[in-house]
Amino acid sequence: MTYVVTENCIKCKYTDCVEVCPVDCFYEGENMLVIHPDECIDCGVCEPECPAEAIVPDTEEGAEQWVEFNRKYAQMWPNITSKIDPPPDADEWNGKPDKLQYFSEKPGGGD
């Protein structure tokens, strides 16, 4: 099992999860984070830290599509290990449906 970041992270990009990860398996895109599924140790400490509830175990229904998505972008984006400020409009985007259309493949700043 691994944990994955899902669509609700897009344009929210809270990084509370990054701060608690013991193995630094988060990677930063321009407007979302991903978890490298091969680095995740399945500890689950990140899941309750996400204000957007965008982190789920890969065993949850619908999560399987996010495993490869997370893997792909974790290999392209820089690692992030420290909490940063979320986008100024993150709270407005939290919970909005159909956010995949706003996804950016561009990398974030990382550490």
Side-chain angles (χ1 to χ4, degrees), residues 59-74:
T59 54
E60 190 170 293
E61 188 176 330
E64 57 279 342
Q65 68 179 348
W66 292 100
V67 175
E68 287 310 313
F69 182 96
N70 276 244
R71 179 178 282 115
K72 175 182 177 179
Y73 291 101

Side-chain angles (χ1 to χ4, degrees), residues 1 3 10 15 19 31-33 65 75 95:
M1 187 175 86
Y3 284 81
I10 298 168
T15 54
E19 201 166 56
N31 67 358
M32 122 175 247
L33 302 174
Q65 68 179 348
Q75 293 171 349

Side-chain angles (χ1 to χ4, degrees), residues 8-15 51-52 85-96 99:
N8 202 45
C9 184
I10 298 168
K11 289 193 157 276
C12 288
K13 200 169 99 171
Y14 300 107
T15 54
D85 291 333
D89 59 349
D91 291 340
E92 296 168 35
W93 283 98
N94 189 1
K96 287 195 177 185
K99 295 198 311 185

Side-chain angles (χ1 to χ4, degrees), residues 14-100:
Y14 300 107
T15 54
D16 306 63
C17 53
V18 169
E19 201 166 56
V20 298
C21 181
V23 294
D24 300 333
C25 64
F26 281 88
Y27 292 81
E28 184 187 9
E30 180 180 41
N31 67 358
M32 122 175 247
L33 302 174
V34 293
I35 294 171
H36 196 305
D38 299 331
E39 296 174 3
C40 176
I41 60 170
D42 315 324
C43 67
V45 296
C46 59
E47 185 181 21
E49 296 300 318
C50 180
E53 298 180 357
I55 299 173
V56 298
D58 69 350
T59 54
E60 190 170 293
E61 188 176 330
E64 57 279 342
Q65 68 179 348
W66 292 100
V67 175
E68 287 310 313
F69 182 96
N70 276 244
R71 179 178 282 115
K72 175 182 177 179
Y73 291 101
Q75 293 171 349
M76 296 169 53
W77 292 346
N79 189 240
I80 181 169
T81 60
S82 302
K83 185 176 177 176
I84 59 173
D85 291 333
D89 59 349
D91 291 340
E92 296 168 35
W93 283 98
N94 189 1
K96 287 195 177 185
D98 304 319
K99 295 198 311 185
L100 196 54

